[in-house]
Amino acid sequence: MIAPTADVSLSPESERILILDFGSQYGQLIARRVREQHVFCQIVRHDLPAERIAALKPRGLIFSGGPASVYEPNAPRCDPRILQLGIPTLGICYGMQLACQMLGGEVQQANHREFGRAFCHIDEANGLFQGVPSETVVWMSHGDQVRTINGEFIPLASTETCPVAAVRHRQQPVYGLQFHPEVSHTPDGSRILRNFLFEICGCRGLWKIQSFIDKTVADLRTRIGDKRVICGLSGGVDSSVTAALLIKAVGPQVACIFVDNGLLRESEAEAVRRTFRDNFHADLHVVDAQERFLAALANVADPQEKRRIIGHTFIDVFKDEARHIDNAHFLAQGTLYPDVIESGASADGPAANIKTHHNVGGLPKELGFELLEPLKDLFKDEVRVLGLELGLPEATVWRHPFPGPGLAVRCLGPVSADALRILRQADAILLEELKQSGWYRRTGQAFAVLLPVQSVGVMGDGRTYERVIAIRAVQTDDFMTADWAHLPYELLAKISTRIINSVAGINRVVYDISSKPPATIEWE
């Protein structure tokens, strides 16, 4: 998402865009689209007072959409003084309706609701719509409309059933779009957002990977001083990039702890050793705790109980190893910006606490560590670009997501050494074939699942009664929704044949063709 070029004449935060969250399902998508234009942005609560907004010195504001109607008594609102600050503001869907209402317009239930694609006619082909065709396709999702604008607003666009599809205020730098420019179904949406950011807000696009690295490295060196940092490595993208960034900042002061819990994919532990000990010359502490985890998981089938046991065991193992590291003052975590948003961890973040996020549980508090989260302003795709720039192997950077409890939640039913062997071998064949066929990068996530059932089969002249492997592969942009990957039949046949012929204990392979929703990506 962010380009590997440098422009550090100004701080990226000097052209901050604030997205006021009114409950939109597309809030994070708006932020990602702004970041794609190399402009720094943050999602904040809709109810921040005007003084706090002014103190953050944003170049622009975006009011998100939301599920409510602005005329409802308990509809979310913002401090009306915000629109008097002179900060360029773009309202999207609900955000447009709210801005118009606050400045004298009237919002009512529409005679014709619009959901889906609509043909939009542009009436003013400059400013917000500079370079946009006079007829364009947009994505609508609304049941209310701005009905009267009292001469304070100038209409900029319309659709067949929405006469005011976009507006600008005559005196204030306030703009509104009834449609969603952030979704891919609005082909010219990126151009419209770019016009707002660059032509109206005066941004230059300073949010670039090298400037992020330079600033973060300098900040880390200042904050860490001569203390030591412990970084928990899982082998995943987030923790690997966190470790690489810290090593660049303070080198040998970083101690990486990698807990081999026996629930990893094929050759994963070796890959972590090779990357961080051989390539980065890191102080890598590898803890072999396979027997400890397997003993704790013996005869446990419930997935939530598996997660609880694995979490507690990990904390105990990590604590034991961390105590052997002298002068350790900081604990680093690979927390990303979506984690911060969903946990409500930021003081200015959205108010709803959707989930609690801790990569390593309560370790900072338990061990008295100060927490470092150097990736907390980044989205996943930005982290991948950062990892490549820091010299991590592509295989690490583009590695598919892997659940914290590992193969334990892909081994349905009780976990045993033999079940893990079967699952690990099947999963390795699946991933190898996807990579060789070019489908690995075309899928967002793919893995094998060992089912707790057996089926009758025939091998040679004999009857078999063995386990079943399910293959799961999905395509997704954000992992909030996902469609099953339409892998070629020839590829599925090759995967199935290899698994059945090579993995002892398997005589049947099935393919999961469920989408999310209603299914989830992981089975447990």
Side-chain angles (χ1 to χ4, degrees):
M1 180 182 289
I2 41 183
T5 55
D7 183 347
V8 292
S9 58
L10 289 173
S11 165
E13 288 82 356
S14 69
E15 50 181 33
R16 183 195 319 262
I17 299 294
L18 297 181
I19 300 169
L20 275 66
D21 180 22
F22 290 94
S24 172
Q25 61 178 320
Y26 297 131
Q28 290 191 33
L29 186 56
I30 297 171
R32 291 180 64 199
R33 295 293 180 251
V34 172
R35 296 278 185 91
E36 285 175 357
Q37 305 288 350
H38 313 314
V39 174
F40 181 70
C41 68
Q42 292 174 298
I43 300 175
V44 299
R45 300 196 313 266
H46 65 271
D47 57 353
L48 289 185
E51 292 83 2
R52 178 57 182 158
I53 295 287
L56 292 170
K57 299 180 180 179
R59 285 287 183 92
L61 305 175
I62 296 178
F63 288 6
S64 82
S69 294
V70 297
Y71 47 77
E72 294 174 349
N74 296 321
R77 312 188 66 80
C78 63
D79 186 339
R81 297 174 299 160
I82 290 174
L83 296 182
Q84 308 303 320
L85 295 175
I87 302 171
T89 301
L90 174 65
I92 296 176
C93 198
Y94 178 91
M96 167 182 160
Q97 296 165 9
L98 179 63
C100 288
Q101 185 192 64
M102 291 168 65
L103 292 173
E106 184 181 2
V107 179
Q108 295 179 356
Q109 188 173 6
N111 294 327
H112 301 279
R113 298 187 301 170
E114 284 185 303
F115 294 96
R117 289 181 176 86
F119 291 96
C120 185
H121 176 75
I122 307 302
D123 299 316
E124 184 175 282
N126 54 39
L128 197 61
F129 292 102
Q130 182 177 329
V132 177
S134 59
E135 300 289 337
T136 186
V137 174
V138 298
W139 184 261
M140 291 286 195
S141 180
H142 67 100
D144 298 327
Q145 288 183 2
V146 176
R147 301 300 294 271
T148 60
I149 49 180
N150 297 338
E152 295 297 321
F153 285 91
I154 298 172
L156 304 179
S158 60
T159 69
E160 184 178 354
T161 60
C162 182
V164 185
V167 295
R168 68 175 173 88
H169 196 267
R170 292 183 182 274
Q171 286 81 38
Q172 302 287 351
V174 176
Y175 298 76
L177 300 172
Q178 184 56 70
F179 56 87
H180 289 272
E182 70 275 17
V183 301
S184 59
H185 305 303
T186 301
D188 294 302
S190 292
R191 181 58 188 261
I192 295 168
L193 284 173
R194 182 176 179 82
N195 287 338
F196 175 71
L197 297 170
F198 286 76
E199 303 302 324
I200 295 170
C201 299
C203 295
R204 293 170 48 187
L206 303 177
W207 180 248
K208 299 179 181 179
I209 195 64
Q210 192 57 54
S211 57
F212 173 84
I213 292 174
D214 293 343
K215 182 179 186 303
T216 304
V217 165
D219 290 347
L220 286 171
R221 286 173 178 166
T222 299
R223 184 176 174 188
I224 294 170
D226 62 354
K227 303 289 196 307
R228 297 205 72 191
V229 182
I230 293 176
C231 181
L233 268 180
S234 67
V237 180
D238 305 340
S239 67
S240 296
V241 174
T242 299
L245 186 60
L246 284 162
I247 290 169
K248 181 177 180 63
V250 294
Q253 293 171 236
V254 182
C256 297
I257 297 179
F258 174 66
V259 176
D260 186 351
N261 57 15
L263 306 172
L264 305 174
R265 289 178 285 201
E266 188 77 30
S267 303
E268 209 149 50
E270 291 79 5
V272 171
R273 288 188 181 95
R274 186 169 57 251
T275 298
F276 286 93
R277 185 168 286 166
D278 299 344
N279 293 358
F280 285 94
H281 307 292
D283 177 16
L284 179 62
H285 299 243
V286 179
V287 184
D288 185 351
Q290 298 183 57
E291 292 185 3
R292 188 168 173 178
F293 277 86
L294 272 178
L297 289 168
N299 302 316
V300 177
D302 180 75
Q304 289 305 104
E305 184 64 10
K306 288 180 187 176
R307 291 177 182 273
R308 187 193 67 79
I309 290 171
I310 292 168
H312 283 289
T313 306
F314 175 83
I315 288 176
D316 291 341
V317 172
F318 197 96
K319 283 165 59 177
D320 291 344
E321 186 63 28
R323 291 192 179 100
H324 299 139
I325 300 171
D326 295 332
N327 196 32
H329 184 79
F330 296 94
L331 178 69
Q333 291 188 169
T335 307
L336 304 191
Y337 193 45
D339 300 322
V340 174
I341 295 168
E342 292 179 359
S343 67
S346 171
D348 293 324
N353 190 340
I354 299 172
K355 70 176 184 180
T356 300
H357 175 83
H358 279 299
N359 290 345
V360 285
L363 283 171
K365 182 181 292 186
E366 287 188 30
L367 296 182
F369 288 137
E370 189 174 334
L371 191 60
L372 289 177
E373 297 174 303
L375 307 183
K376 63 181 175 59
D377 286 325
L378 301 184
F379 286 98
K380 190 75 165 191
D381 41 1
E382 294 173 313
V383 171
R384 294 191 195 278
V385 177
L386 176 59
L388 292 174
E389 187 71 10
L390 291 169
L392 284 168
E394 285 203 12
T396 298
V397 170
W398 290 104
R399 176 178 178 266
H400 282 183
F402 191 56
L407 296 180
V409 291
R410 293 178 179 174
C411 177
L412 278 57
V415 179
S416 67
D418 189 56
L420 290 170
R421 173 194 61 79
I422 292 172
L423 180 55
R424 190 175 287 113
Q425 291 177 5
D427 190 71
I429 291 171
L430 167 63
L431 298 182
E432 181 182 316
E433 291 295 338
L434 289 176
K435 290 172 183 176
Q436 289 182 357
S437 65
W439 271 91
Y440 186 80
R441 291 279 292 272
R442 294 171 66 182
T443 54
Q445 193 168 358
F447 53 91
V449 179
L450 182 62
L451 304 186
V453 296
Q454 292 176 281
S455 71
V456 175
V458 177
M459 288 188 178
D461 294 324
R463 175 185 182 275
T464 63
Y465 190 58
E466 295 179 333
R467 304 287 292 271
V468 179
I469 283 286
I471 293 172
R472 178 72 157 146
V474 299
Q475 293 173 308
T476 178
D477 290 327
D478 53 19
F479 292 90
M480 297 174 67
T481 61
D483 191 17
W484 61 277
H486 292 228
L487 300 180
Y489 290 154
E490 296 80 5
L491 177 58
L492 287 171
K494 188 176 181 182
I495 293 168
S496 175
T497 300
R498 277 198 63 192
I499 290 175
I500 291 173
N501 288 343
S502 304
V503 181
I506 295 297
N507 68 358
R508 192 178 299 270
V509 174
V510 298
Y511 189 49
D512 182 349
I513 58 170
S514 310
S515 295
K516 176 187 178 181
T520 56
I521 295 176
E522 295 284 349
W523 278 47
E524 287 191 343

